[in-house]
Amino acid sequence: MKRERIKHVLSIVETGSSITVKGWVRTCRKVKDLIFIEINDGSDIESLQVVVEPKIEAYKQLAELTTGSSLSVTGTLVESPAAGQRVELNAEEAEIYGLTDASAYPLQKKRHSFEFLREIAHLRPRTNTFGAVFRVRNSLAHAVHSFFQQREFLYVNTPIITANDCEGAGELFHVTTLDPLKQNKDYGDDFFGKKASLTVSGQLEGELFATALDRIYTFGPTFRAENSNTSRHLAEFWMVEPEAAFNDINDNMDLAEDFLKHIILSVLDECPKDMDFFDKRIKPGLIKNLEKIVSSKFERMTYTEAVKTLIDSKEKFNFKVEWGCDLQSEHERFLVEKKIGSPVILTDYPRTLKPFYMYCNSDSKTVRGMDVLVPGVGEIIGGSEREYRLDLLLDRMKELNLNEEDYDWYIDTRRFGTVPHSGFGLGFERAVQFVTGMENIRDVIPFARTPKNLKF
Ligand code: 4AD
Ligand code: MG
């Protein structure tokens, strides 16, 4: 018999049909001579209750079931007399695939800490919280593609191994086949014959395609050897980077705002049960806040205005605020969470704080960079209008001691038919955090890579 996934079984209106489900046991208990099995197959946060009467052949075997065991059950779907569930399955036939040793199974009925679950990679996705996290993550990824595909952005795959440091922050993981323990080698002897690293951003390569195909986006892994052990940083994370020719900074802000609203709405629509779970168990008020964010306009403010607001607030900060300083997360959080209470887009940062590729304003002091800050997470998007004027780009590269030859291929975009263009990068895990309310970024990625931590 064709197998049904539990998600669909739970929504079947007409009872009485015969169905097969397959999954893993959440709980199994005996009440008098009836066995009640909660079975979950990962398709839904809710499990299906299976009721086993002594008359069926597999009764004896099923009585031995332990939490975590896997099985197939065929039976009749009936209305459930029990509270809290609409339907249940009266078992007729069953097959057990794998039993668990109950005393060794790490997932007990009590609640486990997320830190503990991170250590047991295989069983973590079997819990309610992580099942929900990864269904929402999937739904967000789908929404990313649907948003850009609807707007005719082309999905471009930029390389993972590169020879450039897009952000200029020097946070590169080197890629080499040389043995670091053997001396007397230089990059010329290495696999690529030059210094190579894992990409920190697909932007520069993305710009080449946007200045030919008009609108593109990338969605792939990026790597940063930042020694930051925070709840917002990973060494390997996924980034979504749209780039659009003929867009200025205002178009870029509009795109970022529409994009965030689209992916939030889409998840609320596609994953109502999982979102309900986060709202009840992880972050009370989450759904209401997200709905509010979707229906109101994001505040927009220049860096200069933000600095003034922070100074005028008389709030005590650990890091002093003055024009030219890099805003710390305490400053960003104050603005977004206390002052404004909703997402804020900051623009026009001091030139000295931002990478070489940003468009320089006529004051020569600020560039058309933009950061989107959201409550609870802080910076979720970073982007800019790009410097498309050849001479100004070259000046800026000189100022930052970037070797023009290394970037020749990039500078070509400004040599031959240059156009204004803009783009941004969304930290995908930060988006998952924002939508689910999960506190730690390690808990929204299947396998977290952070300093001194490379398990699995
Ligand atoms: O602000 P960033 O550094 O911008 C860029 O890389 C641009 N090249 C993007 C572009 O314009 N195409 O990074 C973009 C976003 C940040 O806003 C943040 O959400 C996320 O990437 N991010 C991280 N997420 C997790 N762990 C880290 N270590 C991150 N570093 C940045
Ligand atoms: Mg940034």
Side-chain angles (χ1 to χ4, degrees), residues 198-352:
L198 295 177
T199 188
V200 297
S201 157
Q203 178 197 321
L204 302 187
E205 292 91 347
E207 281 185 56
L208 267 61
F209 276 73
T211 53
L213 302 173
D214 195 44
R215 285 172 228 183
I216 63 98
Y217 69 106
T218 72
F219 185 2
T222 47
F223 308 85
R224 294 193 186 179
E226 253 173 304
N227 207 355
S228 323
N229 244 317
T230 77
S231 58
R232 308 278 178 268
H233 290 89
L234 290 166
E236 176 178 303
F237 61 100
W238 286 63
M239 217 201 286
V240 180
E241 296 185 273
E243 190 72 37
F246 314 109
N247 265 12
D248 66 13
I249 186 74
N250 290 311
D251 302 320
N252 207 32
M253 285 193 272
D254 291 343
L255 185 71
E257 182 169 343
D258 288 350
F259 173 51
L260 277 182
K261 289 178 174 174
H262 172 93
I263 61 176
I264 295 170
L265 269 179
S266 182
V267 168
L268 287 172
D269 194 42
E270 277 185 22
C271 305
K273 280 188 183 176
D274 292 325
M275 290 304 294
D276 235 29
F277 171 83
F278 291 120
D279 191 66
K280 290 207 174 69
R281 307 291 284 273
I282 301 292
K283 193 166 188 174
L286 176 75
I287 293 182
K288 226 167 148 214
N289 281 337
L290 290 173
E291 284 170 347
K292 196 179 121 211
I293 284 166
V294 166
S295 61
S296 50
K297 188 146 177 60
F298 291 8
E299 191 84 22
R300 297 177 186 191
M301 191 187 260
T302 64
Y303 166 90
T304 305
E305 287 163 349
V307 166
K308 185 168 182 310
T309 306
L310 290 166
I311 294 172
D312 291 350
S313 75
K314 303 274 188 289
E315 180 87 2
K316 285 253 171 304
F317 296 113
N318 291 324
F319 290 89
K320 190 173 167 235
V321 185
E322 54 191 350
W323 200 94
C325 77
D326 210 351
L327 296 180
Q328 304 294 318
S329 79
E330 57 171 343
H331 307 135
E332 295 180 341
R333 295 190 85 137
F334 174 82
L335 278 176
V336 185
E337 287 158 24
K338 287 205 185 152
K339 187 76 196 171
I340 316 271
S342 64
V344 180
I345 311 183
L346 291 187
T347 56
D348 301 286
Y349 284 81
R351 194 183 80 213
T352 49

